[in-house]
Amino acid sequence: LNTAFSMALLVVVFAIYRNDIGRRLRLERELARAVRKGEFEVHYQPQLLSNGAITGAEALVRWRHPSGTLLAPDSFIPVAEDSALICDLGLEVLRQGCETLNDWSRDPATRGLKLAVNVSPMQLLDDEFLAAGAALIRSSGINPGLLELELTESALSADATLVASRMTAFEKMGVTWALDDFGTGYSSLSTLRALPVRKLKIDRRFVDEAVKQEGARRLLGKIVEISQVMGMDALAEGVETTEQRDLLVSLGCTHFQGYLFARPMPGSAFRQWLVEHQSLHRTAGAEYAAAE
Ligand code: C2E
Ligand code: MG
Ligand code: MG
Ligand code: MG
């Protein structure tokens, strides 16, 4: 009986396993097709200073599935990263990002805004990304100083020398780097100091916990200090409440992104939001000046 039970269990576990593999393979095949068919679109989430001025946006990819649903990156980026697809997908996002920067440069409402594009660790380590990415950036004709690449902190636990040399090569073109999800990876401070990183994006978990707990608040303050000591800008991710924003401002954080200000939006909605936000911001500024 015991053996029969074990056998049955084994069969069930194997069926689940095979089903999971099957689902992944199907998704991979669909992703490859989606890259070829151009089903990916980029949404834009504003980034701001504490005075409300907009510095730019982060490009966040979405998959416009033929079924009509818009899929969030967490549902397909990990699968793309397990195959070589992330490289094609990443280049496609970069291509759309450069196109957007070009559109922005021709429009007085958006001229001079920066755009941050996520780069997967797999992509940075890929031997073709540097040449392909650099060619794309050059041929697009954008001002590379307006392009920021985001690398998640966990990437630094890979081949640190290779990562550093690739980052430096892009930096020499005028592109800047931000370290994403800072505080969740394993980078040593000495590694970090040796990298061409201009901005630390503080992971939203720190922001979330800091308003609830004194110890977390002090930790957040120290993270902001670390960025200052290293000469990097500090951007807080996932700011959802005015309480969080006010705390961050009091701790010396200078850059903000989160639902409190705006969610990621398609390009046209972003432009409209920007025009409305800027006129609001100008009015508020004018009132402030008049009151003085
Ligand atoms: P990320 O780069 O850390 O991007 C920030 C994520 O936090 C975005 O999720 C954004 O919509 C979300 N977010 C922004 N503000 C708030 C907030 O106030 N509260 C909460 N709860 N969330 C907020 P999204 O768009 O689903 O992207 C998830 C992740 O997928 C990104 O995290 C990034 O790691 C990855 N990703 C997105 N686009 C790309 C891409 O083009 N290439 C690569 N390699 N990864 C990408
Ligand atoms: Mg990011
Ligand atoms: Mg992040
Ligand atoms: Mg993240």
Side-chain angles (χ1 to χ4, degrees):
L1 185 80
N2 220 344
T3 321
F5 179 76
S6 305
M7 286 302 286
L9 193 66
L10 209 75
V11 166
V12 167
V13 167
F14 184 69
I16 292 172
Y17 172 76
R18 227 182 38 177
N19 198 9
D20 199 51
I21 299 256
R23 203 180 307 124
R24 263 190 114 78
L25 284 176
R26 262 197 309 281
L27 187 54
E28 250 179 56
R29 256 200 318 273
E30 267 203 85
L31 269 174
R33 179 192 48 78
V35 171
R36 282 196 310 275
K37 294 254 163 113
E39 288 172 7
F40 293 99
E41 60 185 65
V42 175
H43 286 201
Y44 301 89
Q45 187 178 32
Q47 298 181 333
L48 307 86
L49 300 177
S50 55
N51 66 6
I54 295 138
T55 59
E58 177 174 6
L60 295 157
V61 72
R62 272 97 182 88
W63 180 4
R64 179 70 65 184
H65 196 268
S67 69
T69 40
L70 193 65
L71 293 168
D74 289 335
S75 67
F76 59 87
I77 290 279
V79 177
E81 282 179 331
D82 280 348
S83 63
L85 283 169
I86 189 65
C87 299
D88 291 337
L89 178 54
L91 279 175
E92 170 59 17
V93 175
L94 185 61
R95 191 192 62 73
Q96 289 191 34
C98 289
E99 212 172 274
T100 296
L101 273 174
N102 266 328
D103 291 345
W104 285 359
S105 73
R106 286 190 288 266
D107 182 344
T110 48
R111 189 173 296 152
L113 290 181
K114 291 193 75 166
L115 183 67
V117 173
N118 291 282
V119 173
S120 160
M122 302 297 296
Q123 209 184 330
L124 191 67
L125 293 172
D126 180 79
D127 285 330
E128 279 156 40
F129 176 62
L130 177 56
L136 221 165
I137 292 164
R138 284 212 186 85
S139 67
S140 71
I142 61 154
N143 169 2
L146 296 178
L147 178 65
E148 181 173 75
L149 297 178
E150 292 191 5
L151 184 69
T152 179
E153 192 199 2
S154 60
L156 305 186
S157 52
D159 186 342
T161 323
L162 187 59
V163 167
S165 79
R166 298 261 157 101
M167 290 177 82
T168 305
F170 278 105
E171 195 218 17
K172 287 200 174 123
M173 296 181 63
V175 171
T176 61
W177 283 98
L179 201 60
D180 208 353
D181 310 325
F182 182 70
T184 64
Y186 302 92
S187 66
S188 75
L189 293 178
S190 65
T191 304
L192 182 55
R193 219 162 71 88
L195 293 174
V197 172
R198 272 302 173 79
K199 186 188 278 173
L200 293 185
K201 297 192 75 176
I202 302 168
D203 193 78
R204 73 179 150 86
R205 263 177 277 176
F206 293 98
V207 175
D208 188 42
E209 283 166 15
V211 288
K212 298 175 187 156
Q213 202 206 339
E214 169 65 13
R217 191 193 65 74
R218 301 222 314 267
L219 180 59
L220 181 61
K222 290 297 170 198
I223 294 174
V224 173
E225 268 182 57
I226 288 172
S227 73
Q228 289 165 346
V229 170
M230 300 228 220
M232 300 168 185
D233 289 329
L235 181 144
E237 297 190 289
V239 182
E240 294 182 348
T241 66
T242 51
E243 185 191 10
Q244 289 172 345
R245 181 201 56 202
D246 293 346
L247 172 63
L248 283 156
V249 169
S250 78
L251 295 174
C253 188
T254 49
H255 293 62
F256 307 85
Q257 179 180 346
Y259 295 167
L260 173 65
F261 311 102
R263 290 184 178 248
M265 301 166 266
S268 52
F270 173 73
R271 190 190 177 280
Q272 196 182 333
W273 177 89
L274 195 79
V275 170
E276 280 160 21
H277 179 92
Q278 278 168 339
S279 73
L280 261 176
H281 182 59
R282 254 198 300 281
T283 315
E287 275 166 13
Y288 183 69
E292 267 188 334

